[in-house]
Amino acid sequence: MATNIVIPSLGLTMEEGIIIEWLVKEGTLVEKEDSILLIETDKATAEVVAPASGILGGIVATAGDAVPVGVKVGTIYSSQAELEEGRKATVPVVGALLQREQERTPIVAQADLPAQTPVKAIEDPFIKASPAARRLARELEITLVGISGTGPGGRILESNVSRHASMLRAESSPLLTPLAPILAEKSIDNQSYTSQPSAMRRTIARRMMESTQSTAPVTIFMEVRMDETIKVREHLNHALREDHRNLKVTYDAIFVKALALALRKHPNMQAEWSEDALIQPEGIHIGFAVSLPNGLVVPVVRHADRQSLVSISSEVARLIAVARNGQLKKEDMSGGTITISNIGKYPVIGFTPIINLPQACILGIGGIQEKAIVVNGAITVGNVAELSLTFDHQINDGIPAAAFLADIKSTLESPFKLFLEP
């Protein structure tokens, strides 16, 4: 049985991958999970592994091709006979994508356009351009002809289209009329400038809108005293230093562990919505947002409830390091069942995080701040953080969500629970 090889999704903002090279030649016998393909994304260079054991064949994308997420680039065949049969039906993916684009947007000849009419993007199949670049050109209603590409093999990238559009605007060309409602324009001290959102920014915007439109989001807030957690963290890090271990227990790791323990008691908080049934994922796999210069990624700590706090700290440190080096792999970012967004390094009191689809909720964490609190009728000063839980009201109601958040609070205020046996 043949198994397709597709471009994997490696993050919230990934739309396509550029083929760098096939690490294995067509016709080679491979084992499942063998590295077979190297791709470049908007954040990193990543290896694609074989989805099954068999013979590599049916390669339809080569070096320099930009292929959307989920599109097939090759096949793993179970036998030589199946490989030969598959070769007869193989169609290059780039040609198929261009054909699909042409079917959606007919070629418009310049001579056929009436005077002062905006020029539509010309979908010339001989122009090498990424799908994102073609889409932006259509949105801006400009032609790809004459744009210099800086991608592999001279391919036109989205940034090339954006730069070309800005140049046209600066020249006051009549072609730029459609750009006015799309490009943001501001004026400061009589100096105008324009800015075009990046591909990553547009993808984040689209997916965040999809989340708010396909969920019934409700956010609840709860204050938690962090004094005991702060003491435990200091003691742990002191012990790690004395043991000459190059590791620190971070607040991210503590929040991951506390969330994982609460999910054991409230598994429905990570259920996924379906019209027919609630889908309960296997295991507790917690994603945590990592900010990068050009956006964010959400690596995942797998089976967080089964790991010790020190083990989670080590994994969190590893994932942050590879994320910032652009070396996250598919397995580092897949399978998350719930997400944490911690912006506590800034003096933010609280916020309303947006659910990371297809998950059911997300935990937001504000900064730890000293404030006056009442304890047993007396005013004292304590270290307090605000937790904000956004959940999908289609799946969970307010009472179970509040009970879930209260269990997280209980663990953070009595952190010995972090060390209970799984």
Side-chain angles (χ1 to χ4, degrees), residues 14-287:
M14 180 177 169
E15 290 188 317
E16 64 184 15
I18 297 176
I19 306 296
I20 296 179
E21 66 171 321
W22 285 91
L23 304 176
V24 178
K25 292 183 179 179
E26 187 162 336
T28 302
L29 186 65
V30 298
E31 296 294 329
K32 184 177 181 179
E33 301 299 326
D34 281 353
S35 296
I36 57 174
L37 173 63
L38 194 62
I39 64 172
E40 181 180 354
T41 74
D42 51 1
K43 294 181 286 293
T45 299
E47 292 182 352
V48 177
V49 300
S53 297
I55 304 171
L56 174 63
I59 293 178
V60 292
T62 57
D65 290 342
V67 186
V69 168
V71 172
K72 183 180 78 170
V73 293
T75 307
I76 301 294
Y77 295 100
S78 59
S79 67
Q80 188 67 33
E82 193 176 57
L83 170 64
E84 295 301 327
E85 187 65 27
R87 281 175 173 166
K88 299 176 183 179
T90 297
V91 178
V93 67
V94 173
L97 289 171
L98 287 175
Q99 182 178 357
R100 191 187 313 159
E101 294 287 339
Q102 286 179 290
E103 290 172 353
R104 286 204 297 258
T105 307
I107 296 177
V108 179
Q110 293 269 15
D112 296 335
L113 293 171
Q116 304 302 318
T117 299
V119 178
K120 301 292 183 181
I122 296 180
E123 296 292 340
D124 189 334
F126 297 103
I127 293 178
K128 297 176 66 176
S130 71
R134 292 182 183 278
R135 182 174 58 255
L136 179 59
R138 287 197 300 273
E139 291 174 358
L140 301 181
E141 297 185 343
I142 61 176
T143 175
L144 294 173
V145 176
I147 298 180
S148 298
T150 59
R155 176 179 298 280
I156 298 172
L157 304 178
E158 188 178 34
S159 59
N160 303 139
V161 176
S162 177
R163 188 179 303 109
H164 183 71
S166 298
M167 291 173 59
L168 289 176
R169 187 173 181 82
E171 295 169 2
S172 300
S173 168
L175 299 180
L176 291 172
T177 303
L179 299 182
I182 298 174
L183 292 175
E185 181 174 316
K186 297 182 180 179
S187 179
I188 299 176
D189 297 331
N190 297 322
Q191 293 184 351
S192 296
Y193 67 91
T194 60
S195 62
Q196 178 65 40
S198 66
M200 178 177 286
R201 189 70 263 155
R202 280 199 302 275
T203 302
I204 291 174
R206 186 183 72 251
R207 295 190 179 183
M208 294 299 96
M209 286 301 297
E210 288 174 356
S211 176
T212 57
Q213 291 169 358
S214 63
T215 63
V218 176
T219 304
I220 57 176
F221 300 87
M222 194 173 290
E223 285 191 344
V224 53
R225 285 197 63 178
M226 296 293 292
D227 299 274
E228 294 303 315
T229 289
I230 291 171
K231 292 177 184 177
V232 165
R233 178 175 176 266
E234 290 175 350
H235 287 308
L236 279 173
N237 286 335
H238 178 73
L240 289 170
R241 285 194 300 271
E242 286 191 333
D243 200 31
H244 304 290
R245 299 177 65 174
N246 186 26
L247 177 66
K248 290 180 65 176
V249 173
T250 63
Y251 286 112
D252 278 331
I254 290 171
F255 291 129
V256 166
K257 182 66 175 180
L259 180 58
L261 293 176
L263 281 170
R264 282 183 163 185
K265 296 174 62 176
H266 306 270
N268 215 49
M269 295 305 299
Q270 63 174 13
E272 296 175 7
W273 173 256
S274 167
E275 292 293 341
D276 300 320
L278 292 181
I279 302 170
Q280 189 63 250
E282 294 184 6
I284 294 174
H285 314 304
I286 298 179

Side-chain angles (χ1 to χ4, degrees), residues 372-384:
I373 56 176
V374 177
V375 179
N376 297 324
I379 297 177
T380 185
V381 175
N383 289 283
V384 176

